Amino acid sequence: MGCGRKRMKFDILTLFPQMFSSPLQESILGKAVEKGLIQIRTINIRDFAVAKHRVVDDSPYGGGQGMVMKVEPIARAIEWIKSQDPSVWTIYLTPQGRGLTQEISQKLSSRSHLVLLCGRYEGVDERVRELFVDEEISIGDYVLTGGELAAMVVIDAVSRLLPGVLGSDRSAEEDSFFNSLLEYPQYTRPSNFRGNPVPEVLLSGNHSAISLWRKREALKRTLDRRPDLLARANLSGEDQRLLEEILRENRTDKSRDGV
Ligand code: 9D3
């Protein structure tokens, strides 16, 4: 059942632990928690602030807008985690981090224990980064209200790579096979929806024709939407032949359209 691998632990340091309850209890991640493949703890940074007012933020030295998360509560929280497990890897979710990729997710999935520090306000006191953070990660070039959703994205992307988290037939192997290409179009019943039929080849039962069609559609879609992926793709001889065919088609389409 445990598949011989110890469960991966995620500790989330946040001022909003409630944000994590439902997303991590639903669906595949929820099942992974139930199966004991992953363990997710939310830790309220405020619980490590000193009593009385339990202040976790303060105005920036030097002036300026907004508030900065104080170093002491975060330091105490991380030190408490490290006292239980010195091998933890601490990630700060920040727009200034390097963008999350599948490769980074894969590297992270080989760790046994991640701490995900979620920033709010204008971020954390710089000494948090210097003294306690191993890696800084962003999830993309858009502005969020805090690191919480980004932490959930990291947990999702990493967890699904762990053995046993996805269903048995759906594996990370399949990912790496098609990794460099976008996926082909999928259809299910009915075979005709309001005059919009499913491509005939998919109903033919001809498996080699189907697999060729899918490969071709994946290549077409990738060329159209993500040519950057194609440049990096490891295309087989057959893929390259198909791609040339598609490019030739596109050229003749264009000259016919007069574009
Ligand atoms: C006025 C401050 N902002 C200038 C654009 C800086 C800022 C700080 C903190 C903007 C957003 C945030 C909150 N975002 C995150 O904590 C965050 C994030 C994101 O906003 N985008 C992509 N990845 C991430 S990871 C954490």
Side-chain angles (χ1 to χ4, degrees):
M1 194 235 211
C3 299
R5 197 179 191 283
K6 204 152 188 311
R7 80 173 51 137
M8 180 159 181
K9 291 181 182 160
F10 298 92
D11 280 332
I12 304 158
L13 289 179
T14 174
L15 291 173
F16 299 98
Q18 329 81 276
M19 276 184 78
F20 293 87
S21 44
S22 39
L24 301 177
Q25 278 161 29
E26 290 297 328
S27 186
I28 293 170
L29 286 191
K31 295 232 170 63
V33 172
E34 276 174 33
K35 284 196 247 173
L37 298 170
I38 57 176
Q39 182 190 76
I40 304 170
R41 281 196 302 192
T42 52
I43 296 161
N44 193 336
I45 295 168
R46 203 173 291 280
D47 291 343
F48 291 84
V50 285
K52 190 81 178 151
H53 297 105
R54 305 214 299 163
V55 177
V56 292
D57 61 331
D58 204 343
S59 45
Y61 273 123
Q65 268 199 1
M67 299 293 270
V68 174
M69 289 172 74
K70 288 168 69 60
V71 61
E72 300 101 316
I74 296 172
R76 278 196 284 270
I78 294 178
E79 280 164 350
W80 175 72
I81 297 166
K82 282 194 176 155
S83 73
Q84 301 165 353
D85 179 2
S87 78
V88 298
W89 184 254
T90 303
I91 296 168
Y92 174 42
L93 287 313
T94 165
Q96 298 168 36
R98 61 176 179 151
L100 184 66
T101 61
Q102 192 62 17
E103 199 184 336
I104 294 173
S105 303
Q106 258 150 17
K107 289 225 171 87
L108 293 178
S109 72
S110 68
R111 299 213 166 255
S112 59
H113 191 172
L114 298 181
V115 171
L116 299 159
L117 171 62
C118 306
R120 281 273 153 176
Y121 319 118
E122 302 306 307
V124 297
D125 185 301
E126 189 64 18
R127 290 163 294 185
V128 170
R129 317 174 111 116
E130 292 167 359
L131 301 173
F132 300 102
V133 170
D134 297 308
E135 181 171 7
E136 302 190 12
I137 289 178
S138 155
I139 60 162
D141 295 336
Y142 38 81
V143 184
L144 303 173
T145 56
E148 281 77 9
L149 287 166
M152 289 186 230
V153 167
V154 170
I155 293 173
D156 193 277
V158 170
S159 296
R160 66 181 291 288
L161 296 173
L162 301 174
V165 170
L166 295 185
S168 50
D169 56 328
R170 259 227 151 238
S171 63
E173 243 174 79
E174 201 181 316
D175 287 348
S176 59
F177 189 68
F178 272 103
N179 203 357
S180 49
L181 294 184
L182 298 184
E183 257 148 58
Y184 51 78
Q186 298 273 20
Y187 298 86
T188 186
R189 272 176 281 271
S191 61
N192 191 313
F193 175 69
R194 300 179 185 169
N196 298 265
V198 169
E200 236 176 75
V201 63
L202 298 179
L203 313 176
S204 70
N206 182 342
H207 296 296
S208 65
I210 290 171
S211 124
L212 188 68
W213 181 85
R214 285 180 165 165
K215 185 40 106 46
R216 218 166 176 285
E217 291 300 313
L219 285 165
K220 271 164 75 174
R221 191 161 275 197
T222 311
L223 182 67
D224 182 45
R225 302 184 188 181
R226 294 293 307 275
D228 60 305
L229 290 182
L230 269 186
R232 288 190 275 129
N234 235 329
L235 297 182
S236 70
E238 189 206 60
D239 296 345
Q240 277 167 23
R241 190 185 58 73
L242 279 170
L243 187 60
E244 274 155 33
E245 212 174 275
I246 293 163
L247 285 165
R248 210 171 321 124
E249 264 177 27
N250 285 356
R251 275 197 296 276
T252 55
D253 286 353
K254 268 186 198 151
S255 59
R256 204 178 330 101
D257 295 345
V259 182

